[in-house]
Amino acid sequence: MSIEMPRGLPFAVDTFGPYTTTKRRKRHHFLTHAHKDHTVGISPSNIVVFPIYSTSLTISLLLQRHPQLDESFFVGIEIGQSVIVDDPDGEFKVTAFDANHCPGAVMFLFEGSFGNILHTGDCRLTLDCLHSLPEKYVGRRHGVAPKCCLDYIFLDCTFGKSSHSQRFPSKHSAIRQVNNCIWNHPDAPVVYLACDMLGQEDVLLEVSRTFGSKIYVDKATNLECFRSLMVIVPEIVSEDPSSRFHIFSGFPKLYERTSAKLAEARSKLQSEPLIIRPSAQWYVCDDEDDWESGSIQKQRKVRFSEAVKDEFGLWHVCYSMHSSREELESAMQLLSPKWVVSTVPSCRAMELNYVKKNCFISRFSPDDPFWKLLDIDMEVSPVAEADTHTVALSCCLMSQEIILDSAKSKLVPVIESSSMKKKLLSLSPEKKLPVTLFGRARLSSQESDKLHERKVIHTQSVYTKTSPVLEKLNVQEVIESLQDDTREETIEKESCTSFSTCTSKETCKDLSGDLRKLYRSMNAPVPRPLPSLMELMNARKRSRNHLSF
């Protein structure tokens, strides 16, 4: 799954709509590879995404999967090839590089007025893969910056979590482990290979070459895999079920089907088949998996040099199509980008040591392409003091100003007085909410959020008082607004005073001890029950009596 590109860029990579009023339509679309999670939205009805730039192999796989598409919808760009794309904001150059992920997969390097951007798609960034990039973007060794730094890298951080500290074997080493596992089981009448995913064709090709046998693929149960293999490596595909090597579907219920295959062989007093899964997923699973024992977990951590058998009888080999955390760190050291964004939605790039040490907003000057990527227009305006200058930001949400201190290189946002007024007015409630049986209980959280938001704005105003721009603010308005906040909080407390004493005692009675401990362990307040209808009526009577006197 991919993320949307910043609003200031005219192109999208691996995202194909739908577009809304808040999601700006892109003028150019690029596809890195043919995995399904990267092709969502590509259909004849969604004509706004065409044409799509991709490699000829990826286009062939996509047309095979979606025969209703037309080849004219795509523009071919091969590995090592550059294309100049015309755009109203100025032409830009795109170059495709091998992503070391699956057949047809590429990384895209964009060079234009917006800066230099590398989008890796899904990739495994080995040294060979990195050295295929232009020499000016790659440092000669760790600690030596390249001649030209990339402004942005959209990085595949699938295995970038801090807990994924394993060192993956190379693809070549993993394939050798698969072959060794087969050699070590000569009595296995059938060898099942869980290699039905696009990107595992190298494993099948080497097994076929090593053992001189084609691999059977069942068209009835795995038609998509059969069609893909017929496009990529048709010479190894067999439709004869008597072949010793079979494709075994990796999903769903892989472990249950493995156990069933082995149990069937035992019940017939036959030799057990050999079932191998070349994948890194088993090696990076969290330690909290309920089904595995401590010994199996220990095996997976220390044995990357040979196949490992789990408790279901399935043999695992660490064959990864994604970079390990160590490979990601090494790649960032060589490329030295200014900014790194994870293409995985969980923002795993923030866990990389390189990002923690080097990616700061203070590194960007007002004329840096970084601001254009975010669709922010920067205009430099002089101020009274010589060591400080103001940078005006035109944002889609509200007008702000940024003070850039040349000595400390920090950006401090200051809200203009006009926008401050509008914000305060929009946050103030139109009228006092009535106390009803469910109304105040339902709306009180919303009110508290609004009060908190108003306090945040005031705090921002106070903490920017060192800026000359603060003279635009009306201090009296701020003080009056703060007083309004205090009055509303007082009214809120008074309206609930009549119920607070009784409900606090009732809470302890109504809620069990375990439930109260659960709330307190989560640092959450113990909820108080709603007042009864009788209590509300009595409170109303007391208020009437008080007014009559």
Side-chain angles (χ1 to χ4, degrees):
M1 183 176 180
S2 295
I3 62 170
E4 294 291 334
M5 301 296 281
R7 296 183 60 183
L9 294 175
F11 56 84
V13 181
D14 294 346
T15 53
F16 305 96
Y19 297 101
T20 62
T21 54
T22 59
K23 186 177 174 182
R24 187 177 298 181
R25 173 183 170 183
K26 301 294 186 180
R27 294 186 286 271
H28 314 281
H29 292 81
F30 296 82
L31 176 63
T32 59
H33 63 288
H35 278 158
K36 288 184 178 180
D37 57 330
H38 290 254
T39 61
V40 176
I42 298 179
S43 65
S45 59
N46 190 16
I47 60 174
V48 296
V49 303
F50 300 113
I52 297 175
Y53 294 80
S54 193
T55 60
S56 58
L57 181 53
T58 298
I59 295 172
S60 298
L61 293 171
L62 200 60
L63 292 174
Q64 188 182 68
R65 190 187 305 161
H66 302 287
Q68 69 273 24
L69 295 175
D70 193 89
E71 193 172 357
S72 62
F73 293 167
F74 301 90
V75 177
I77 176 172
E78 302 305 325
I79 293 176
Q81 181 184 355
S82 297
V83 175
I84 303 299
V85 181
D86 292 328
D87 186 77
D89 294 337
E91 65 180 23
F92 59 91
K93 178 182 176 182
V94 187
T95 310
F97 297 94
D98 182 21
N100 192 27
H101 179 64
C102 69
V106 292
M107 303 183 289
F108 288 115
L109 175 63
F110 300 91
E111 298 169 293
S113 60
F114 42 73
N116 306 313
I117 300 173
L118 177 66
H119 195 295
T120 67
D122 283 354
C123 68
R124 184 163 183 188
L125 291 176
T126 60
L127 285 177
D128 291 338
C129 187
L130 289 172
H131 288 308
S132 68
L133 296 172
E135 185 178 354
K136 64 179 180 179
Y137 293 121
V138 183
R140 295 182 180 179
R141 60 184 183 275
H142 293 287
V144 179
K147 296 178 182 178
C148 183
C149 289
L150 291 164
D151 296 297
Y152 244 84
I153 286 187
F154 289 84
L155 183 66
D156 172 20
C157 296
T158 301
F159 297 141
K161 292 178 65 175
S162 55
S163 59
H164 297 164
S165 58
Q166 301 91 338
R167 176 179 294 184
F168 293 165
S170 65
K171 286 186 175 181
H172 179 73
S173 175
I175 293 173
R176 188 169 60 249
Q177 292 179 36
V178 173
N179 287 336
N180 290 340
C181 186
I182 298 173
W183 283 119
N184 294 333
H185 295 80
D187 297 331
V190 182
V191 177
Y192 293 100
L193 299 169
C195 297
D196 60 335
M197 180 181 291
L198 180 64
Q200 297 175 315
E201 293 79 12
D202 288 343
V203 178
L204 301 175
L205 182 61
E206 286 301 317
V207 168
S208 178
R209 287 176 178 174
T210 302
F211 296 94
S213 174
K214 292 189 175 184
I215 300 173
Y216 169 67
V217 185
D218 188 357
K219 290 176 61 176
T221 60
N222 213 336
L223 180 59
E224 185 174 336
C225 177
F226 178 84
R227 288 177 173 175
S228 298
L229 291 175
M230 290 301 293
V231 173
I232 301 168
V233 282
E235 67 274 13
I236 70 169
V237 179
S238 170
E239 297 184 59
D240 182 7
S242 64
S243 173
R244 186 189 180 201
F245 299 94
H246 290 217
I247 291 291
F248 196 64
S249 180
F251 297 98
K253 298 182 178 180
L254 174 62
Y255 299 104
E256 289 85 342
R257 289 186 289 108
T258 298
S259 300
K261 282 283 185 185
L262 298 175
E264 181 183 2
R266 297 189 197 105
S267 64
K268 296 179 180 179
L269 301 178
Q270 298 175 348
S271 299
E272 293 182 356
L274 177 63
I275 307 176
I276 306 176
R277 183 194 186 194
S279 172
Q281 289 292 339
W282 184 75
Y283 293 85
V284 298
C285 285
D286 295 333
D287 296 350
E288 291 82 10
D289 290 344
D290 295 332
W291 54 265
E292 64 185 1
S293 63
S295 60
I296 296 295
Q297 180 65 29
K298 184 177 179 181
Q299 282 180 331
R300 75 167 58 173
K301 286 184 176 180
V302 300
R303 295 174 61 184
F304 285 86
S305 59
E306 59 183 343
V308 180
K309 186 179 181 180
D310 67 16
E311 60 185 19
F312 298 100
L314 179 64
W315 289 85
H316 296 269
V317 172
C318 187
Y319 179 86
S320 179
M321 296 184 287
H322 298 271
S323 305
S324 65
R325 180 183 174 86
E326 181 186 45
E327 290 168 338
L328 291 174
E329 294 284 8
S330 178
M332 294 304 98
Q333 291 293 337
L334 290 174
L335 297 175
S336 299
K338 294 181 181 179
W339 205 260
V340 182
V341 177
S342 173
T343 57
V344 181
S346 56
C347 302
R348 291 179 183 172
M350 299 302 296
E351 299 189 36
L352 297 178
N353 293 328
Y354 176 86
V355 175
K356 293 177 182 177
K357 295 178 181 178
N358 298 280
C359 296
F360 300 102
I361 196 83
S362 58
R363 294 183 59 182
F364 300 101
S365 59
D367 58 346
D368 197 282
F370 172 82
W371 304 109
K372 191 170 184 178
L373 293 176
L374 302 179
D375 197 23
I376 295 175
D377 297 328
M378 305 291 287
E379 298 177 358
V380 180
S381 60
V383 293
E385 296 183 5
D387 61 339
T388 309
H389 59 279
T390 303
V391 183
L393 284 179
S394 300
C395 295
C396 58
L397 296 178
M398 60 188 297
S399 176
Q400 293 181 339
E401 289 190 352
I402 284 186
I403 305 302
L404 181 62
D405 192 313
S406 60
K408 298 183 180 179
S409 297
K410 291 184 179 179
L411 295 175
V412 183
V414 180
I415 305 175
E416 294 179 356
S417 58
S418 58
S419 59
M420 168 72 77
K421 270 185 172 183
K422 293 178 182 179
K423 191 70 175 177
L424 289 174
L425 289 174
S426 65
L427 290 174
S428 58
E430 296 181 0
K431 55 181 69 176
K432 181 180 175 182
L433 292 174
V435 180
T436 62
L437 181 58
F438 299 105
R440 176 57 63 92
R442 183 175 66 250
L443 298 175
S444 60
S445 61
Q446 301 176 7
E447 282 296 296
S448 62
D449 291 341
K450 290 183 179 180
L451 293 173
H452 174 70
E453 187 175 355
R454 189 154 51 239
K455 287 183 180 180
V456 169
I457 295 180
H458 295 325
T459 305
Q460 290 178 347
S461 303
V462 173
Y463 280 111
T464 55
K465 63 182 180 180
T466 57
S467 169
V469 187
L470 188 63
E471 296 177 359
K472 298 180 182 179
L473 293 174
N474 189 337
V475 179
Q476 185 63 31
E477 292 179 1
V478 176
I479 295 174
E480 291 176 357
S481 183
L482 285 172
Q483 291 174 349
D484 292 340
D485 292 347
T486 307
R487 292 193 198 101
E488 289 188 15
E489 288 180 348
T490 305
I491 294 172
E492 185 77 20
K493 292 179 181 178
E494 289 177 353
S495 64
C496 298
T497 301
S498 58
F499 311 113
S500 60
T501 55
C502 59
T503 55
S504 61
K505 296 180 181 179
E506 292 172 357
T507 302
C508 299
K509 296 179 182 179
D510 295 341
L511 298 179
S512 65
D514 293 338
L515 191 56
R516 291 198 303 273
K517 289 180 181 178
L518 175 62
Y519 276 96
R520 290 165 182 165
S521 65
M522 300 172 63
N523 294 325
V526 179
R528 294 183 299 180
L530 290 172
S532 66
L533 186 59
M534 291 298 298
E535 290 173 339
L536 287 173
M537 293 177 65
N538 292 334
R540 187 177 179 184
K541 288 179 181 178
R542 285 196 297 270
S543 62
R544 285 181 177 178
N545 294 335
H546 178 71
L547 291 174
S548 63
F549 288 118

